[in-house]
Amino acid sequence: MDSCCAAIKAKVNPVEINGGSIRREKVLLGERVRGSLKSKNAFGARTCIILNRKRSRNCNPGVAFSVLTRDINKEMAALESSSFFDENPKADPGTVASIILGGGAGTRLFPLTNRRAKPAVPIGGCYRLIDVPMSNCINSGIRKIFIMTQFNSFSLNRHLARTYNFGNGVNFGDGFVEVLAATQTPGEAGKKWFQGTADAVRQFIWVFEAAKTKNVEHILILSGDHLYRMDYMDFVQKHIDTNADITVSCVPMDNSRASDYGLMKIDETGRIVQFAEKPKGSALQSMQVDTSILGLTPQEAASFPYIASMGVYVFRTDVLLKLLRFSYPSCNDFGSEIIPSAVKDHNVQAYLFSDYWEDIGTIKSFFDANLALTKQPSKFDFNDPKTPFYTSPRFLPPTKVEKCRIVDAIISHGCFLRECSVEHSIVGVRSRLDYGVELKDTMMMGADYYQTESEIASLLAQGKVPIGVGHNSKISNCIIDKNAKIGKDVIIANKDGVVEAERADEGFYIRSGITVILKNSTIKDGTII
């Protein structure tokens, strides 16, 4: 038992043990708590001490008296270190729900989105884009997750079911992962598909109104096509500390890409005073600000004169529901309508995100972000034991490498590489590279299934092409989608520098000068692209 000595001034008159309204069995000295909670004398002049009758009888008037009790100083130190004394409460993941937007038609990522939703596009060799916000949520302690889907959602739904479930994948305990697929409901408005990000949330507003009863005080709105690592609870904490209605995560942005994002101006407190979605021309120039207020050096501020929205928001639940249902019932998009309108009469704060972030919105940004993972050191790394990224457990064998040259590359599991060269490239799961193959500046997504040696031999004997890359093929500046069959002696180099081309009947497209081999397509022996 811990002990402390409570010294009582000699002039204090002890309480009559046997009289008054205090019972003989137990005595409680002091009736009220007074003083500042942050003071060492937090309990005021009267200390609450419970005495038993035996000790009471030894209490003599005018004499200091000591009792065995708990260590008040230790308890006060523990209390002072707790959020009980904080001006702003500590963000609780249990009060936060996240909504991951499954994306629109994904036209800028076509043809990778021809048969899949944007968040289902493979990245980094073995992951899918949806794994990024899902893993960030899990690592942030957020266990209430909704995913809104509409376009080409089959592979996305399958991946979510295999990876983030209660039985075989990541266990969420009391949390949940729920897919909210676009659907039609009774009434005229219910016959429409999602008209935008805000409309998607509005169409399921009854779900989030029910979420209020689950102690959800804040709702995160996340995109399913970004690459970054973020502790969302730091974001929510800033939201709480500034007493914000809405908080927008932002990054400094340069001139070359500023028009692709929502841009903002902020005051000295971090409050957003102006917001413009993807401005052009003079409207773009008018959004330039001195970004040194974000902590950038003068040189960095000159290179990054804009503050761009990441498309990552946190709303107070009641504010979100009010905006969607009553304030702006006809606004369909958060970035272009809800946020700019809410800036006028709500406390909309900016949160500076200072780590790596990339919007995987186009073929070029997708290609560049993937190949950037192979650099040493890379700006972004999936390998972090404290904040791992989760994906579907495939239970594949280790990759087998025979006399290969591999430089600055990522080789996923379950691959077979035979006397080939791989440089500045990513090789996805179950990939097969035959002898003499040269892969350079290439993102190869891999395959969904294996072909046995006997099956491969049978296909070759029939003059057909098995999954993978045949011998002596040379490939550069290319994205090879899943299950592609590339024959022997093929050259994919785009030496003519073609920027855009559509050759679906031949199994490929060219986007921004990057050759994209279609999923399940066949490139015949000896083809030159």
Side-chain angles (χ1 to χ4, degrees):
M1 179 186 293
D2 294 328
S3 66
C4 73
C5 179
I8 304 176
K9 294 182 179 179
K11 292 183 180 180
V12 175
N13 295 322
V15 174
E16 177 64 32
I17 301 299
N18 298 326
S21 61
I22 302 179
R23 296 180 299 181
R24 294 176 58 89
E25 305 300 329
K26 302 253 183 181
V27 178
L28 181 64
L29 301 182
E31 299 172 353
R32 289 181 290 181
V33 175
R34 297 180 181 175
S36 168
L37 288 176
K38 291 187 177 181
S39 167
K40 288 292 183 182
N41 298 319
F43 291 97
R46 301 181 181 181
T47 305
C48 296
I49 305 173
I50 295 192
L51 308 175
N52 62 32
R53 183 169 56 180
K54 182 177 180 180
R55 287 175 180 157
S56 308
R57 291 172 178 169
N58 295 329
C59 182
N60 298 320
V63 179
F65 179 66
S66 65
V67 296
L68 290 176
T69 185
R70 293 177 297 182
D71 192 330
I72 300 299
N73 287 332
K74 286 184 179 180
E75 291 190 4
M76 288 306 303
L79 281 169
E80 287 177 351
S81 64
S82 73
S83 59
F84 182 74
F85 295 109
D86 293 341
E87 289 186 15
N88 297 301
K90 183 175 175 60
D92 178 9
T95 65
V96 180
S98 66
I99 301 173
I100 302 174
L101 302 173
T107 53
R108 295 186 301 160
L109 264 180
F110 185 86
L112 300 180
T113 53
N114 187 40
R115 287 289 181 268
R116 60 167 75 95
K118 277 198 297 183
V121 172
I123 188 171
C126 64
Y127 302 95
R128 292 181 185 258
L129 282 171
I130 190 65
D131 293 328
V132 174
M134 287 295 300
S135 298
N136 283 334
C137 284
I138 295 169
N139 294 330
S140 301
I142 297 171
R143 297 293 188 269
K144 299 172 183 177
I145 305 171
F146 299 94
I147 302 103
M148 313 202 76
T149 64
Q150 178 164 288
F151 291 97
N152 281 334
S153 58
F154 169 71
S155 61
L156 175 60
N157 293 340
R158 181 179 59 187
H159 178 74
L160 291 169
R162 289 177 175 176
T163 309
Y164 306 101
N165 58 51
F166 294 95
N168 300 321
V170 179
N171 194 323
F172 283 81
D174 295 333
F176 56 81
V177 176
E178 294 185 5
V179 175
L180 303 178
T183 185
Q184 292 187 336
T185 56
E188 190 64 30
K191 295 180 181 179
K192 297 179 181 179
W193 298 110
F194 296 156
Q195 303 300 304
T197 55
D199 183 63
V201 177
R202 182 186 294 112
Q203 289 198 30
F204 279 97
I205 199 167
W206 56 274
V207 174
F208 309 117
E209 286 176 333
K212 289 180 66 177
T213 63
K214 299 178 182 177
N215 197 33
V216 174
E217 299 174 5
H218 310 283
I219 293 181
L220 274 166
I221 306 293
L222 308 173
S223 294
D225 56 356
H226 296 167
L227 180 61
Y228 63 112
R229 176 182 276 106
M230 182 177 184
D231 186 343
Y232 294 137
M233 294 315 298
D234 290 343
F235 182 32
V236 175
Q237 187 66 60
K238 169 68 184 302
H239 176 72
I240 294 173
D241 292 345
T242 55
N243 196 30
D245 297 314
I246 309 167
T247 303
V248 181
S249 188
C250 61
V251 292
M253 187 58 59
D254 57 22
N255 282 291
S256 63
R257 299 191 297 164
S259 61
D260 294 333
Y261 302 98
L263 303 179
M264 65 190 78
K265 290 183 178 180
I266 62 175
D267 63 16
E268 64 278 0
T269 67
R271 181 169 180 169
I272 299 174
V273 295
Q274 186 178 351
F275 191 98
E277 180 72 2
K278 300 179 180 179
K280 311 289 183 185
S282 59
L284 174 63
Q285 296 300 318
S286 68
M287 294 304 295
Q288 285 193 358
V289 295
D290 180 10
T291 51
S292 61
I293 61 175
L294 301 176
L296 275 67
T297 65
Q299 294 78 13
E300 291 172 334
S303 301
F304 299 90
Y306 298 97
I307 303 175
S309 166
M310 293 169 55
V312 175
Y313 319 111
V314 59
F315 288 78
R316 276 182 25 214
T317 303
D318 57 334
V319 171
L320 175 63
L321 301 182
K322 180 181 176 182
L323 288 173
L324 294 177
R325 186 182 284 279
F326 302 112
S327 301
Y328 310 107
S330 60
C331 292
N332 294 327
D333 190 75
F334 283 116
S336 62
E337 297 175 290
I338 298 290
I339 303 294
S341 300
V343 163
K344 303 171 187 176
D345 49 11
H346 289 79
N347 181 12
V348 184
Q349 290 282 328
Y351 171 82
L352 176 65
F353 182 67
S354 56
D355 209 339
Y356 176 89
W357 173 80
E358 186 62 54
D359 180 7
I360 312 294
T362 65
I363 289 292
K364 181 168 175 52
S365 63
F366 172 81
F367 184 70
D368 291 343
N370 271 281
L371 293 192
L373 298 172
T374 67
K375 294 182 178 179
Q376 299 295 334
S378 61
K379 293 182 180 179
F380 181 84
D381 195 348
F382 282 102
N383 301 315
D384 187 335
K386 293 183 179 179
T387 54
F389 277 73
Y390 302 94
T391 192
S392 177
R394 299 180 178 90
F395 310 110
L396 293 174
T399 286
K400 188 174 183 180
V401 179
E402 300 176 8
K403 300 178 182 178
C404 297
R405 175 181 176 269
I406 300 174
V407 180
D408 295 339
I410 294 175
I411 311 297
S412 300
H413 34 287
C415 300
F416 295 91
L417 280 61
R418 297 179 179 133
E419 300 182 37
C420 59
S421 172
V422 181
E423 182 177 350
H424 193 224
S425 298
I426 292 179
V427 180
V429 295
R430 304 185 187 91
S431 292
R432 183 186 64 85
L433 302 181
D434 218 332
Y435 64 87
V437 168
E438 294 181 9
L439 217 62
K440 184 177 181 181
D441 301 329
T442 293
M443 162 60 175
M444 185 173 182
M445 294 184 182
D448 290 319
Y449 56 92
Y450 281 120
Q451 289 177 328
T452 64
E453 290 294 332
S454 60
E455 288 175 332
I456 293 173
S458 176
L459 288 170
L460 291 173
Q462 299 174 51
K464 297 181 179 180
V465 181
I467 291 177
V469 182
H471 64 262
N472 293 329
S473 290
K474 317 293 190 234
I475 301 173
S476 64
N477 202 42
C478 183
I479 297 173
I480 305 173
D481 208 336
K482 281 197 168 185
N483 307 328
K485 308 173 185 69
I486 300 176
K488 61 184 179 181
D489 300 315
V490 171
I491 297 177
I492 302 175
N494 191 16
K495 291 184 178 179
D496 295 334
V498 176
V499 178
E500 300 289 332
E502 296 186 10
R503 302 284 184 84
D505 55 335
E506 298 178 37
F508 71 93
Y509 282 73
I510 296 178
R511 290 284 183 263
S512 302
I514 301 162
T515 306
V516 181
I517 306 300
L518 301 179
K519 183 176 181 179
N520 299 319
S521 63
T522 300
I523 306 297
K524 296 180 180 179
D525 296 347
T527 300
I528 298 177
I529 300 176

